[in-house]
Amino acid sequence: MGDLGAALGFSALALEVARTGEALWVGLFAVMGYLTLGPLLLLSPWVDRAHPARALLLLRLLRGLLWLPFPFLPREAALLVLLAYPLMVATDLAVVAWDTLLLRVDRGGLLGNTGRLYAAWNLGGLLGSLLGPPLLLLHPALPYLAAAGALLLSLGLLLPWLQGLSPSGSGRRETGIPLGKALALVAGHRPLRPYLLLSLLFALAHALATALLGLLVLRAGTPEGLFGLFFALQDLGYTLGSYGAGRVPQIVALLGGPLLAGFGLLLILLPFPLLLLGGAAYGLATGGLSAHLRALRGWLLPQEGQAPGLAALRVLLYGTGTLGGGLAGVLGRGDPTLPLRLGLLGFLAFLLFLPGPLNPGRLRALARYREEAPGTEK
């Protein structure tokens, strides 16, 4: 429900900003999500101090209320984009609160829970992206009021469950740690370090492979009326991959996932309609692979300051994705397929880690460590 509300609002807002024809603000709106990194690190200690359950409720309320003024604002690109920024910050901070809650509630079931949660988010985002623009065409206020309504309704649905996880219920209070220490803890934690490197490789390869997909889809002869079908199939694959990640053995996901992603990228280089299969295969592979990598990071994350640590991880991954997207824009000027081919090589580079962190014996040892770690519930 929360992601449905966010997607309803942001998809309509993207259309309104695009209507203005102001390229500067259209481009800024497209990349502004990456600019939440600073506030994310600065505010994430508050999630620990307030307790993630309470923080999640307050952020859901804030996000719902922030959508309400949008129907009454002047339709000026600069104003709309700048006022969307607090919503983007609150949305990313809510993801940190969700991830922290999952770590505390059921560390042992992290893979299945995060996979199902991200699958639900992706499905909500897909529906919201499809419904937002048509609602805007029916009436300019509809998508923003629907976004606020969905977020506030989801707040009511969450309240009974989250009340049992509040500070008074758990007795656990965190003081929070500063952003510099969070980054140092994440980067310096030896068990986490190789899997953090794999996560950064995934973020870079994914950004390179997908940055120019819209251009490649059109160049492949896809009819404009079916342009969105490619991305819908990719999102569907991602949803199914995330949802089913808990049923796939880790070694299969971490080694087979990159191979399937590479195969999907090769299919994307083919003419329409074969590239549609590539989008679905790529989404399925990256959905399962990213769920396993998220679970690995959660299992190995230092216990101290979980929310700031998760925010630091998010910042590192966002930064790598930004680098990959920018690099794709530069390299793709001459040959738009070049970034995709480099992304394919990035996924195949996972095989280089087979003697080390992806060795089956090491992964089995990691599973034993996870079962014995404090906070793991059977």
Side-chain angles (χ1 to χ4, degrees):
M1 287 294 294
D3 217 53
L4 171 64
L8 282 168
F10 281 122
S11 62
L13 196 55
L15 177 56
E16 285 215 84
V17 174
R19 277 177 173 175
T20 67
E22 298 184 35
L24 172 64
W25 292 103
V26 172
L28 183 59
F29 184 76
V31 302
M32 189 173 275
Y34 290 118
L35 303 181
T36 62
L37 305 185
L40 196 61
L41 275 177
L42 289 170
L43 296 174
S44 58
W46 167 77
V47 174
D48 268 338
R49 288 195 297 269
H51 192 280
R54 178 182 291 170
L56 187 59
L57 290 173
L58 291 174
L59 288 166
R60 191 60 59 95
L61 176 63
L62 175 64
R63 291 165 62 199
L65 295 177
L66 284 175
W67 280 117
L68 291 176
F70 274 83
F72 311 104
L73 296 174
R75 313 331 284 173
E76 297 179 5
L79 181 63
L80 294 173
V81 170
L82 292 176
L83 290 181
Y85 184 68
L87 273 160
M88 294 181 180
V89 173
T91 300
D92 275 351
L93 203 58
V95 175
V96 172
W98 265 115
D99 287 344
T100 308
L101 269 178
L102 289 177
L103 273 175
R104 295 188 182 182
V105 171
D106 186 7
R107 198 178 184 94
L110 192 59
L111 175 59
N113 288 335
T114 54
R116 286 190 291 271
L117 181 63
Y118 275 75
W121 285 353
N122 198 66
L123 182 59
L126 176 61
L127 292 174
S129 297
L130 291 173
L131 294 174
L135 287 176
L136 183 70
L137 296 177
L138 287 174
H139 192 283
L142 277 179
Y144 306 116
L145 295 178
L151 284 159
L152 295 175
L153 176 59
S154 69
L155 173 64
L157 295 174
L158 280 172
L159 192 58
W161 177 62
L162 291 178
Q163 278 181 330
L165 305 174
S166 65
S168 59
S170 66
R172 179 173 181 174
R173 297 282 291 195
E174 300 282 354
T175 59
I177 62 174
L179 60 94
K181 188 176 180 182
L183 282 168
L185 278 174
V186 167
H189 191 58
R190 184 169 294 178
L192 175 63
R193 196 180 299 157
Y195 300 100
L196 174 58
L197 180 60
L198 283 167
S199 298
L200 295 176
L201 175 61
F202 172 86
L204 180 62
H206 179 65
L208 283 168
T210 58
L212 303 182
L213 275 183
L215 178 59
L216 294 176
V217 169
L218 287 178
R219 282 168 57 103
T222 305
E224 290 189 1
L226 297 177
F227 177 76
L229 179 60
F230 173 88
F231 298 99
L233 288 173
Q234 182 182 328
D235 284 343
L236 178 61
Y238 188 88
T239 300
L240 294 175
S242 298
Y243 186 80
R247 299 176 175 86
V248 179
Q250 201 145 68
I251 188 64
V252 174
L254 295 175
L255 291 175
L259 292 174
L260 181 58
F263 177 68
L265 292 176
L266 287 176
L267 289 178
I268 291 172
L269 293 173
L270 297 176
F272 176 85
L274 294 175
L275 84 163
L276 296 177
L277 297 176
Y282 180 79
L284 185 68
T286 53
L289 180 58
S290 63
H292 276 268
L293 288 172
R294 282 194 303 270
L296 278 169
R297 296 194 300 267
W299 287 323
L300 297 171
L301 189 72
Q303 292 289 311
E304 182 184 0
Q306 287 176 338
L310 287 165
L313 284 170
R314 198 167 181 81
V315 166
L316 291 171
L317 294 170
Y318 267 22
T320 305
T322 305
L323 174 64
L327 188 59
V330 173
L331 296 175
R333 289 179 178 176
D335 179 6
T337 68
L338 179 58
L340 184 145
R341 296 174 192 274
L342 290 175
L344 192 157
L345 291 176
F347 282 110
L348 295 182
F350 269 70
L351 301 177
L352 299 176
F353 291 82
L354 185 57
L358 296 184
N359 182 279
R362 184 165 179 174
L363 289 174
R364 284 193 293 270
L366 178 60
R368 290 194 296 271
Y369 165 82
R370 184 173 72 238
E371 293 170 358
E372 298 167 0
T376 299
E377 298 185 15
K378 305 296 182 184

